Amino acid sequence: MRVEVRKIELALAVAFLILGVLIAMASARMPMGTPSLPGPGFLPLILGALIAGTAALIGVRSLRARDSGEPVQFGHVYIAVTVAALIAAGLAFERIGFVPTVAAFMFVMLAIISPLGWWRSAVAAAVVTVACYLFFGVVLGIRLPPMPFWP
Amino acid sequence: METLIHLAHGFSVALRPENLAFGFIGCLWGTIVGVMPGLGPLTGLTLLLPLTFKLDPSTAIIMLAGIFYGAMYGGSTTSILVRIPGEAASIMTCIDGYEMARKGRAGPALMISALGSWVGGTASVIGLMLFAPPLAQLMLAVGPSAEFGLMLLALLVLSFVSAGAPVKTLLMVLLGLFIATMGLDPITAYPRFTFGSVRFSDGINFVAMALGLFGVSEILLNLEQIAKVQVIKPTLRSLAPQWRDIKDSAPAIGRGTVIGFVFGFIPGISHVVSTFVSYAVEKRVSREPEKFGTGKIEGVAGPETANNATTGSAMIPLLVLGIPAIPATSILLSALLIHGVQPGPQIVRDHPDVFWGLIASMYIGNIILLILNLPLVGLFVNLLRIPYVYLAPGVLLVTVIGVYSVNANPSEILIMSVFGLIGYVLRKGDFDPAPLLLAIVLGDRMEVSLRRALTISDGDWWVLLQGAMSKIFLGALTLLLALQGAAWLLGFRRKMIAVSDGKS
């Protein structure tokens, strides 16, 4: 998908405007202190307002811009796969353990983005998993989550 | 004399077998990440940071610093041979370096680039050694109000030198400052934006954010455009430069050293800006400016020297003030804190092993890099032949394991993934995430120093203008704001952005 930079800029400006307002609203519920001795909510409130203001300025600027710029590539199936695989790895890491998570992560990534094919990706994922376990777990002594169903 | 005694102590630390070995690993890894497009010093540092947790603080910092300046050396190889900058600071080297390679002069370009890098790197370490201790002595007298002024000045300079639109840089700085407020309030321990979870009581993990914003987002950007690279392979024999090459590049190396060293102090993207300035200066002083872009050796020597000369001076604000001048040094700051070393004026006195060991190791590291980058250039070039489709999953896997190992907390993998996606979208919208990262680092201290100064003065805001140091910092701040306004009025800034966009 190709999108004009100006549109991405505008979308980000709107997102940051909303974020700024939310920050200011949440900060307003915190103790403000006094102007001479500010409390925990004082700085976040100012920052929230400034974020919203700056984002609004960027939004207006991009709306008024005459040159929308060259469209850029935005999004790709590999990006969706990579982010989904990373989030899945984060969710599975302690639930199913290091070995199955790493093996599945590498298999999915290699099978989808490399030209290796399913079988060779499975073999490569197995080799990488063993190598990682030996290097990080045994050589470096990093505590890696065990498999809960392994004796 | 005292400096020499301290330096001798530093060498006794740096020459310990384990420090030499890890220093070498750092330099080698730094060169590799510098050579590989899509990996840079920041990604290289964040990837190996968790592996240093079990090391002695001085060993860990020596290794991580090796990655930082090693990447500056490695970046030139890809620029010259493939016309793809290995890292942002090598963009200018592409212009004349690749033209030289196309004309069969890749060898002299690589050789002069390595020699310039060595001269710039070594000279900046001498500067670090001479300037850091007296500056540390001076900064010991700085109170919270002056510290607040200093932080404010650093953030303003950051938006001043940033090549992108200032309003976008400002937004990134504000977001960084907001993220820094997350977690328990440093004065009252009131929970702010913790979503009711104890896991966020310390805020969002900095390493996970940095890895996401720079490491993961860079990989996502590269996955979009996987291309096979065409590499020009030089022979060892062709490396020797001619006498004329040395004669032409010597003044450029000298000027690059000064430019790089001065720019290294400035927060932001000084290592990148210094190369632009160096290239512009070389073109300006040349008798044949029209030949720049067709393979002029000064166009390689100046920028490559400048980006290496920033490495030593960028360490001065980091070590003495605790202010990371560039994103890569913010990871070094994290590493120092993780290892229980508080950067600041007292580092020279409290951690002589780390401070002087690091300085001595940088002298050794620059020699290691000179040796690594000349005869082994063919080996590094072969790394460029590894298809990105195999490299990306491997690098991502190491980031996942690395970020988990920091606190054995799987939610940090999720934070890294989310920030990776945020970094990707930000960069697509022309928002540079570097100021955000630096503001996160400075934000916490900025708030603490402001509130501490107000508490001490019983709520008198004028305290921020009292004291000589506060006046100096706030005076510099006012001057910069005035300069910013004047530059804006003269349209200089717009021209500068247009030039930098055209070159990149």
Side-chain angles (χ1 to χ4, degrees):
Chain A
M1 178 171 63
R2 295 187 74 79
V3 181
E4 288 165 9
V5 175
R6 195 175 61 92
K7 285 185 180 162
I8 304 172
E9 196 180 84
L10 187 61
L12 281 169
V14 172
F16 287 133
L17 176 66
I18 296 168
L19 180 72
V21 172
L22 290 176
I23 293 168
M25 282 166 64
S27 311
R29 291 200 202 113
M30 296 176 190
M32 280 296 134
T34 59
S36 55
L37 288 172
F42 178 75
L43 187 64
L45 179 70
I46 293 176
L47 288 172
L50 287 173
I51 288 169
T54 316
L57 193 67
I58 293 170
V60 170
R61 215 183 64 147
S62 63
L63 275 174
R64 293 171 96 189
R66 285 182 196 157
D67 180 18
S68 52
E70 278 283 298
V72 290
Q73 175 71 34
F74 188 77
H76 192 282
V77 67
Y78 290 170
I79 292 174
V81 168
T82 305
V83 174
L86 281 171
I87 290 174
L91 293 172
F93 218 60
E94 281 192 343
R95 287 189 175 88
I96 64 168
F98 174 83
V99 172
T101 307
V102 168
F105 177 82
M106 280 309 281
F107 173 70
V108 169
M109 289 297 292
L110 288 172
I112 294 176
I113 72 168
S114 83
L116 281 180
W118 299 100
W119 281 109
R120 277 188 287 180
S121 294
V123 174
V127 172
V128 170
T129 306
V130 172
C132 279
Y133 183 79
L134 291 174
F135 181 69
F136 291 102
V138 179
V139 177
L140 294 175
I142 294 173
R143 198 193 71 81
L144 301 169
M147 288 183 281
F149 46 83
W150 198 255
Chain B
M1 190 62 195
E2 202 186 348
T3 305
L4 290 177
I5 294 167
H6 288 310
L7 186 63
H9 172 69
F11 272 104
S12 73
V13 175
L15 288 170
R16 284 179 201 151
E18 71 274 18
N19 289 346
L20 272 178
F22 279 100
F24 178 79
I25 292 169
C27 290
L28 183 65
W29 176 245
T31 308
I32 291 170
V33 295
V35 167
M36 306 294 284
L39 299 178
L42 203 127
T43 317
L45 279 163
T46 39
L47 284 176
L48 285 205
L49 175 64
L51 308 186
T52 67
F53 294 159
K54 292 203 166 178
L55 299 176
D56 176 71
S58 44
T59 311
I61 302 306
I62 284 172
M63 185 178 105
L64 294 171
I67 299 173
F68 170 49
Y69 54 81
M72 299 292 177
Y73 272 76
S76 60
T77 308
T78 330
S79 297
I80 292 167
L81 302 177
V82 197
R83 206 176 196 274
I84 297 172
E87 39 94 31
S90 297
I91 290 170
M92 298 314 285
T93 315
C94 286
I95 303 170
D96 283 275
Y98 187 71
E99 285 305 316
M100 283 183 73
R102 272 186 52 196
K103 290 175 181 167
R105 290 182 21 87
L110 287 166
M111 181 76 170
I112 290 295
S113 150
L115 279 174
S117 298
W118 179 74
V119 172
T122 307
S124 77
V125 183
I126 295 172
L128 164 66
M129 184 180 79
L130 296 177
F131 289 121
L135 187 63
Q137 201 65 33
L138 189 72
M139 293 308 292
L140 275 171
V142 165
S145 57
E147 195 179 0
F148 174 74
L150 180 65
M151 302 286 151
L152 208 59
L153 180 66
L155 288 177
L156 188 80
V157 175
L158 180 67
S159 58
F160 188 69
V161 297
S162 197
V167 68
K168 288 182 175 177
T169 308
L170 177 67
L171 183 60
M172 290 296 100
V173 168
L174 292 169
L175 273 174
L177 291 176
F178 161 68
I179 293 172
T181 65
M182 294 173 86
L184 296 182
D185 174 41
I187 308 280
T188 62
Y190 185 92
R192 298 189 292 193
F193 311 103
T194 56
F195 309 105
S197 167
V198 192
R199 281 190 166 168
F200 292 114
S201 57
D202 280 339
I204 299 179
N205 181 279
F206 180 77
V207 177
M209 268 187 299
L211 263 174
L213 281 173
F214 289 91
V216 174
S217 74
E218 187 70 40
I219 291 169
L220 296 179
L221 285 168
N222 286 314
L223 279 173
E224 249 176 21
Q225 40 189 358
I226 296 168
K228 214 173 177 180
V229 291
Q230 295 291 323
V231 186
I232 299 171
K233 197 168 180 182
T235 58
L236 196 57
R237 197 184 284 176
S238 72
L239 283 173
Q242 294 162 359
W243 171 242
R244 192 188 155 84
D245 293 328
I246 297 171
K247 209 176 117 192
D248 288 347
S249 31
I253 289 174
R255 285 186 287 267
T257 302
V258 176
I259 292 168
F261 188 77
V262 172
F263 271 77
F265 286 98
I266 303 169
I269 48 168
S270 52
H271 58 310
V272 183
V273 176
S274 71
T275 61
F276 282 78
V277 173
S278 169
Y279 191 85
V281 167
E282 290 315 315
K283 203 171 171 181
R284 180 68 59 88
V285 300
S286 173
R287 285 184 192 147
E288 305 167 316
E290 71 286 353
K291 287 194 177 168
F292 272 74
T294 62
K296 284 282 277 182
I297 196 133
E298 297 95 312
V300 176
E304 271 308 311
T305 307
N307 73 28
N308 281 275
T310 58
T311 56
S313 48
M315 290 283 187
I316 298 176
L318 170 73
L319 295 172
V320 177
L321 310 175
I323 296 176
I326 54 178
T329 52
S330 63
I331 301 296
L332 284 174
L333 177 73
S334 269
L336 286 164
L337 293 172
I338 287 168
H339 285 278
V341 178
Q342 178 67 50
Q346 62 281 56
I347 194 173
V348 185
R349 186 192 60 205
D350 295 351
H351 300 280
D353 277 13
V354 173
F355 182 78
W356 291 103
L358 173 66
I359 288 179
S361 80
M362 287 177 81
Y363 283 111
I364 300 167
N366 273 292
I367 295 170
I368 291 174
L369 284 164
L370 187 65
I371 298 166
L372 269 179
N373 274 267
L374 291 178
L376 297 183
V377 69
L379 188 77
F380 292 126
V381 168
N382 282 330
L383 285 174
L384 293 168
R385 296 202 169 93
I386 301 173
Y388 203 73
V389 287
Y390 303 123
L391 190 72
V395 173
L396 284 170
L397 182 61
V398 178
T399 61
V400 167
I401 300 169
V403 79
Y404 173 80
S405 66
V406 178
N407 292 322
N409 183 355
S411 62
E412 279 161 17
I413 301 173
L414 300 175
I415 290 170
M416 179 187 77
S417 314
V418 171
F419 273 90
L421 198 58
I422 292 172
Y424 169 81
V425 180
L426 285 177
R427 286 157 88 164
K428 285 286 172 184
D430 272 349
F431 288 82
D432 181 7
L436 188 147
L437 201 67
L438 296 180
I440 294 171
V441 177
L442 298 181
D444 200 26
R445 282 177 57 199
M446 207 169 138
E447 186 186 5
V448 170
S449 49
L450 171 67
R451 289 170 63 186
R452 206 171 274 168
L454 288 172
T455 308
I456 293 168
S457 68
D458 207 17
D460 180 11
W461 282 78
W462 288 106
V463 72
L464 300 175
L465 295 171
Q466 285 165 8
M469 294 303 266
S470 300
K471 281 179 183 137
I472 291 171
F473 295 140
L474 290 172
L477 202 132
T478 316
L479 186 72
L480 268 172
L481 277 173
L483 278 173
Q484 174 91 321
W488 198 255
L489 283 174
L490 293 169
F492 168 77
R493 188 175 182 85
R494 213 165 289 171
K495 274 183 209 161
M496 199 177 86
I497 294 167
V499 168
S500 67
D501 285 351
K503 299 289 183 204
S504 59

mmCIF file with all atom_site columns, all heavy atoms in Angstrom, chain A residues 105-118:
data_model
loop_
_atom_site.group_PDB
_atom_site.id
_atom_site.type_symbol
_atom_site.label_atom_id
_atom_site.label_alt_id
_atom_site.label_comp_id
_atom_site.label_asym_id
_atom_site.label_entity_id
_atom_site.label_seq_id
_atom_site.pdbx_PDB_ins_code
_atom_site.Cartn_x
_atom_site.Cartn_y
_atom_site.Cartn_z
_atom_site.occupancy
_atom_site.B_iso_or_equiv
_atom_site.pdbx_formal_charge
_atom_site.auth_seq_id
_atom_site.auth_comp_id
_atom_site.auth_asym_id
_atom_site.auth_atom_id
_atom_site.pdbx_PDB_model_num
ATOM 1   N N   . PHE A 1 105 ? 8.648  -19.382 16.665 1.00 0.00 ? 105 PHE A N   1
ATOM 2   C CA  . PHE A 1 105 ? 8.926  -18.037 16.122 1.00 0.00 ? 105 PHE A CA  1
ATOM 3   C C   . PHE A 1 105 ? 9.809  -18.140 14.874 1.00 0.00 ? 105 PHE A C   1
ATOM 4   O O   . PHE A 1 105 ? 9.501  -17.553 13.827 1.00 0.00 ? 105 PHE A O   1
ATOM 5   C CB  . PHE A 1 105 ? 9.615  -17.186 17.211 1.00 0.00 ? 105 PHE A CB  1
ATOM 6   C CG  . PHE A 1 105 ? 10.025 -15.816 16.751 1.00 0.00 ? 105 PHE A CG  1
ATOM 7   C CD1 . PHE A 1 105 ? 9.104  -14.785 16.713 1.00 0.00 ? 105 PHE A CD1 1
ATOM 8   C CD2 . PHE A 1 105 ? 11.331 -15.556 16.351 1.00 0.00 ? 105 PHE A CD2 1
ATOM 9   C CE1 . PHE A 1 105 ? 9.476  -13.517 16.277 1.00 0.00 ? 105 PHE A CE1 1
ATOM 10  C CE2 . PHE A 1 105 ? 11.707 -14.297 15.910 1.00 0.00 ? 105 PHE A CE2 1
ATOM 11  C CZ  . PHE A 1 105 ? 10.781 -13.273 15.889 1.00 0.00 ? 105 PHE A CZ  1
ATOM 12  N N   . MET A 1 106 ? 10.896 -18.899 14.998 1.00 0.00 ? 106 MET A N   1
ATOM 13  C CA  . MET A 1 106 ? 11.817 -19.008 13.864 1.00 0.00 ? 106 MET A CA  1
ATOM 14  C C   . MET A 1 106 ? 11.153 -19.720 12.687 1.00 0.00 ? 106 MET A C   1
ATOM 15  O O   . MET A 1 106 ? 11.358 -19.341 11.530 1.00 0.00 ? 106 MET A O   1
ATOM 16  C CB  . MET A 1 106 ? 13.092 -19.771 14.278 1.00 0.00 ? 106 MET A CB  1
ATOM 17  C CG  . MET A 1 106 ? 14.097 -18.944 15.021 1.00 0.00 ? 106 MET A CG  1
ATOM 18  S SD  . MET A 1 106 ? 14.534 -17.385 14.239 1.00 0.00 ? 106 MET A SD  1
ATOM 19  C CE  . MET A 1 106 ? 15.680 -17.899 12.990 1.00 0.00 ? 106 MET A CE  1
ATOM 20  N N   . PHE A 1 107 ? 10.375 -20.744 12.990 1.00 0.00 ? 107 PHE A N   1
ATOM 21  C CA  . PHE A 1 107 ? 9.709  -21.489 11.908 1.00 0.00 ? 107 PHE A CA  1
ATOM 22  C C   . PHE A 1 107 ? 8.759  -20.570 11.129 1.00 0.00 ? 107 PHE A C   1
ATOM 23  O O   . PHE A 1 107 ? 8.800  -20.516 9.895  1.00 0.00 ? 107 PHE A O   1
ATOM 24  C CB  . PHE A 1 107 ? 8.952  -22.701 12.477 1.00 0.00 ? 107 PHE A CB  1
ATOM 25  C CG  . PHE A 1 107 ? 8.117  -23.395 11.441 1.00 0.00 ? 107 PHE A CG  1
ATOM 26  C CD1 . PHE A 1 107 ? 8.724  -24.119 10.416 1.00 0.00 ? 107 PHE A CD1 1
ATOM 27  C CD2 . PHE A 1 107 ? 6.730  -23.298 11.458 1.00 0.00 ? 107 PHE A CD2 1
ATOM 28  C CE1 . PHE A 1 107 ? 7.957  -24.741 9.431  1.00 0.00 ? 107 PHE A CE1 1
ATOM 29  C CE2 . PHE A 1 107 ? 5.960  -23.911 10.486 1.00 0.00 ? 107 PHE A CE2 1
ATOM 30  C CZ  . PHE A 1 107 ? 6.572  -24.640 9.475  1.00 0.00 ? 107 PHE A CZ  1
ATOM 31  N N   . VAL A 1 108 ? 7.931  -19.835 11.867 1.00 0.00 ? 108 VAL A N   1
ATOM 32  C CA  . VAL A 1 108 ? 6.968  -18.939 11.200 1.00 0.00 ? 108 VAL A CA  1
ATOM 33  C C   . VAL A 1 108 ? 7.704  -17.890 10.362 1.00 0.00 ? 108 VAL A C   1
ATOM 34  O O   . VAL A 1 108 ? 7.385  -17.658 9.189  1.00 0.00 ? 108 VAL A O   1
ATOM 35  C CB  . VAL A 1 108 ? 6.044  -18.263 12.248 1.00 0.00 ? 108 VAL A CB  1
ATOM 36  C CG1 . VAL A 1 108 ? 5.229  -17.137 11.635 1.00 0.00 ? 108 VAL A CG1 1
ATOM 37  C CG2 . VAL A 1 108 ? 5.131  -19.297 12.879 1.00 0.00 ? 108 VAL A CG2 1
ATOM 38  N N   . MET A 1 109 ? 8.709  -17.266 10.965 1.00 0.00 ? 109 MET A N   1
ATOM 39  C CA  . MET A 1 109 ? 9.433  -16.199 10.259 1.00 0.00 ? 109 MET A CA  1
ATOM 40  C C   . MET A 1 109 ? 10.118 -16.737 9.001  1.00 0.00 ? 109 MET A C   1
ATOM 41  O O   . MET A 1 109 ? 10.005 -16.155 7.921  1.00 0.00 ? 109 MET A O   1
ATOM 42  C CB  . MET A 1 109 ? 10.487 -15.562 11.194 1.00 0.00 ? 109 MET A CB  1
ATOM 43  C CG  . MET A 1 109 ? 9.920  -14.724 12.310 1.00 0.00 ? 109 MET A CG  1
ATOM 44  S SD  . MET A 1 109 ? 9.017  -13.276 11.741 1.00 0.00 ? 109 MET A SD  1
ATOM 45  C CE  . MET A 1 109 ? 10.312 -12.282 11.046 1.00 0.00 ? 109 MET A CE  1
ATOM 46  N N   . LEU A 1 110 ? 10.826 -17.869 9.153  1.00 0.00 ? 110 LEU A N   1
ATOM 47  C CA  . LEU A 1 110 ? 11.558 -18.408 7.996  1.00 0.00 ? 110 LEU A CA  1
ATOM 48  C C   . LEU A 1 110 ? 10.597 -18.925 6.927  1.00 0.00 ? 110 LEU A C   1
ATOM 49  O O   . LEU A 1 110 ? 10.805 -18.711 5.729  1.00 0.00 ? 110 LEU A O   1
ATOM 50  C CB  . LEU A 1 110 ? 12.517 -19.523 8.438  1.00 0.00 ? 110 LEU A CB  1
ATOM 51  C CG  . LEU A 1 110 ? 13.745 -19.058 9.221  1.00 0.00 ? 110 LEU A CG  1
ATOM 52  C CD1 . LEU A 1 110 ? 14.523 -20.248 9.769  1.00 0.00 ? 110 LEU A CD1 1
ATOM 53  C CD2 . LEU A 1 110 ? 14.664 -18.205 8.350  1.00 0.00 ? 110 LEU A CD2 1
ATOM 54  N N   . ALA A 1 111 ? 9.554  -19.632 7.362  1.00 0.00 ? 111 ALA A N   1
ATOM 55  C CA  . ALA A 1 111 ? 8.625  -20.222 6.386  1.00 0.00 ? 111 ALA A CA  1
ATOM 56  C C   . ALA A 1 111 ? 7.921  -19.140 5.570  1.00 0.00 ? 111 ALA A C   1
ATOM 57  O O   . ALA A 1 111 ? 7.646  -19.328 4.391  1.00 0.00 ? 111 ALA A O   1
ATOM 58  C CB  . ALA A 1 111 ? 7.601  -21.095 7.111  1.00 0.00 ? 111 ALA A CB  1
ATOM 59  N N   . ILE A 1 112 ? 7.672  -17.990 6.210  1.00 0.00 ? 112 ILE A N   1
ATOM 60  C CA  . ILE A 1 112 ? 6.913  -16.962 5.487  1.00 0.00 ? 112 ILE A CA  1
ATOM 61  C C   . ILE A 1 112 ? 7.803  -15.978 4.727  1.00 0.00 ? 112 ILE A C   1
ATOM 62  O O   . ILE A 1 112 ? 7.517  -15.664 3.577  1.00 0.00 ? 112 ILE A O   1
ATOM 63  C CB  . ILE A 1 112 ? 5.950  -16.225 6.452  1.00 0.00 ? 112 ILE A CB  1
ATOM 64  C CG1 . ILE A 1 112 ? 4.891  -17.237 6.911  1.00 0.00 ? 112 ILE A CG1 1
ATOM 65  C CG2 . ILE A 1 112 ? 5.271  -15.020 5.791  1.00 0.00 ? 112 ILE A CG2 1
ATOM 66  C CD1 . ILE A 1 112 ? 3.923  -16.753 7.931  1.00 0.00 ? 112 ILE A CD1 1
ATOM 67  N N   . ILE A 1 113 ? 8.907  -15.544 5.341  1.00 0.00 ? 113 ILE A N   1
ATOM 68  C CA  . ILE A 1 113 ? 9.665  -14.514 4.612  1.00 0.00 ? 113 ILE A CA  1
ATOM 69  C C   . ILE A 1 113 ? 10.875 -15.036 3.833  1.00 0.00 ? 113 ILE A C   1
ATOM 70  O O   . ILE A 1 113 ? 11.424 -14.308 3.021  1.00 0.00 ? 113 ILE A O   1
ATOM 71  C CB  . ILE A 1 113 ? 10.063 -13.322 5.516  1.00 0.00 ? 113 ILE A CB  1
ATOM 72  C CG1 . ILE A 1 113 ? 11.163 -13.711 6.501  1.00 0.00 ? 113 ILE A CG1 1
ATOM 73  C CG2 . ILE A 1 113 ? 8.889  -12.720 6.241  1.00 0.00 ? 113 ILE A CG2 1
ATOM 74  C CD1 . ILE A 1 113 ? 11.763 -12.492 7.178  1.00 0.00 ? 113 ILE A CD1 1
ATOM 75  N N   . SER A 1 114 ? 11.309 -16.268 4.095  1.00 0.00 ? 114 SER A N   1
ATOM 76  C CA  . SER A 1 114 ? 12.472 -16.757 3.340  1.00 0.00 ? 114 SER A CA  1
ATOM 77  C C   . SER A 1 114 ? 12.012 -17.748 2.271  1.00 0.00 ? 114 SER A C   1
ATOM 78  O O   . SER A 1 114 ? 10.895 -18.266 2.351  1.00 0.00 ? 114 SER A O   1
ATOM 79  C CB  . SER A 1 114 ? 13.458 -17.439 4.297  1.00 0.00 ? 114 SER A CB  1
ATOM 80  O OG  . SER A 1 114 ? 13.063 -18.775 4.524  1.00 0.00 ? 114 SER A OG  1
ATOM 81  N N   . PRO A 1 115 ? 12.870 -18.035 1.296  1.00 0.00 ? 115 PRO A N   1
ATOM 82  C CA  . PRO A 1 115 ? 12.456 -18.990 0.262  1.00 0.00 ? 115 PRO A CA  1
ATOM 83  C C   . PRO A 1 115 ? 12.743 -20.449 0.655  1.00 0.00 ? 115 PRO A C   1
ATOM 84  O O   . PRO A 1 115 ? 12.779 -21.324 -0.211 1.00 0.00 ? 115 PRO A O   1
ATOM 85  C CB  . PRO A 1 115 ? 13.302 -18.567 -0.942 1.00 0.00 ? 115 PRO A CB  1
ATOM 86  C CG  . PRO A 1 115 ? 14.517 -17.950 -0.358 1.00 0.00 ? 115 PRO A CG  1
ATOM 87  C CD  . PRO A 1 115 ? 14.175 -17.444 0.999  1.00 0.00 ? 115 PRO A CD  1
ATOM 88  N N   . LEU A 1 116 ? 12.949 -20.734 1.949  1.00 0.00 ? 116 LEU A N   1
ATOM 89  C CA  . LEU A 1 116 ? 13.380 -22.077 2.363  1.00 0.00 ? 116 LEU A CA  1
ATOM 90  C C   . LEU A 1 116 ? 12.297 -23.153 2.204  1.00 0.00 ? 116 LEU A C   1
ATOM 91  O O   . LEU A 1 116 ? 12.619 -24.317 2.024  1.00 0.00 ? 116 LEU A O   1
ATOM 92  C CB  . LEU A 1 116 ? 13.822 -22.052 3.837  1.00 0.00 ? 116 LEU A CB  1
ATOM 93  C CG  . LEU A 1 116 ? 15.211 -21.501 4.139  1.00 0.00 ? 116 LEU A CG  1
ATOM 94  C CD1 . LEU A 1 116 ? 15.476 -21.561 5.637  1.00 0.00 ? 116 LEU A CD1 1
ATOM 95  C CD2 . LEU A 1 116 ? 16.292 -22.270 3.395  1.00 0.00 ? 116 LEU A CD2 1
ATOM 96  N N   . GLY A 1 117 ? 11.041 -22.783 2.300  1.00 0.00 ? 117 GLY A N   1
ATOM 97  C CA  . GLY A 1 117 ? 9.980  -23.801 2.267  1.00 0.00 ? 117 GLY A CA  1
ATOM 98  C C   . GLY A 1 117 ? 9.752  -24.357 3.659  1.00 0.00 ? 117 GLY A C   1
ATOM 99  O O   . GLY A 1 117 ? 10.526 -24.087 4.585  1.00 0.00 ? 117 GLY A O   1
ATOM 100 N N   . TRP A 1 118 ? 8.660  -25.129 3.811  1.00 0.00 ? 118 TRP A N   1
ATOM 101 C CA  . TRP A 1 118 ? 8.233  -25.585 5.138  1.00 0.00 ? 118 TRP A CA  1
ATOM 102 C C   . TRP A 1 118 ? 9.234  -26.507 5.818  1.00 0.00 ? 118 TRP A C   1
ATOM 103 O O   . TRP A 1 118 ? 9.590  -26.319 6.963  1.00 0.00 ? 118 TRP A O   1
ATOM 104 C CB  . TRP A 1 118 ? 6.871  -26.289 5.051  1.00 0.00 ? 118 TRP A CB  1
ATOM 105 C CG  . TRP A 1 118 ? 5.803  -25.380 4.542  1.00 0.00 ? 118 TRP A CG  1
ATOM 106 C CD1 . TRP A 1 118 ? 5.314  -25.318 3.261  1.00 0.00 ? 118 TRP A CD1 1
ATOM 107 C CD2 . TRP A 1 118 ? 5.098  -24.364 5.274  1.00 0.00 ? 118 TRP A CD2 1
ATOM 108 N NE1 . TRP A 1 118 ? 4.362  -24.336 3.149  1.00 0.00 ? 118 TRP A NE1 1
ATOM 109 C CE2 . TRP A 1 118 ? 4.196  -23.733 4.375  1.00 0.00 ? 118 TRP A CE2 1
ATOM 110 C CE3 . TRP A 1 118 ? 5.144  -23.944 6.600  1.00 0.00 ? 118 TRP A CE3 1
ATOM 111 C CZ2 . TRP A 1 118 ? 3.355  -22.703 4.765  1.00 0.00 ? 118 TRP A CZ2 1
ATOM 112 C CZ3 . TRP A 1 118 ? 4.300  -22.921 6.990  1.00 0.00 ? 118 TRP A CZ3 1
ATOM 113 C CH2 . TRP A 1 118 ? 3.418  -22.311 6.074  1.00 0.00 ? 118 TRP A CH2 1
#
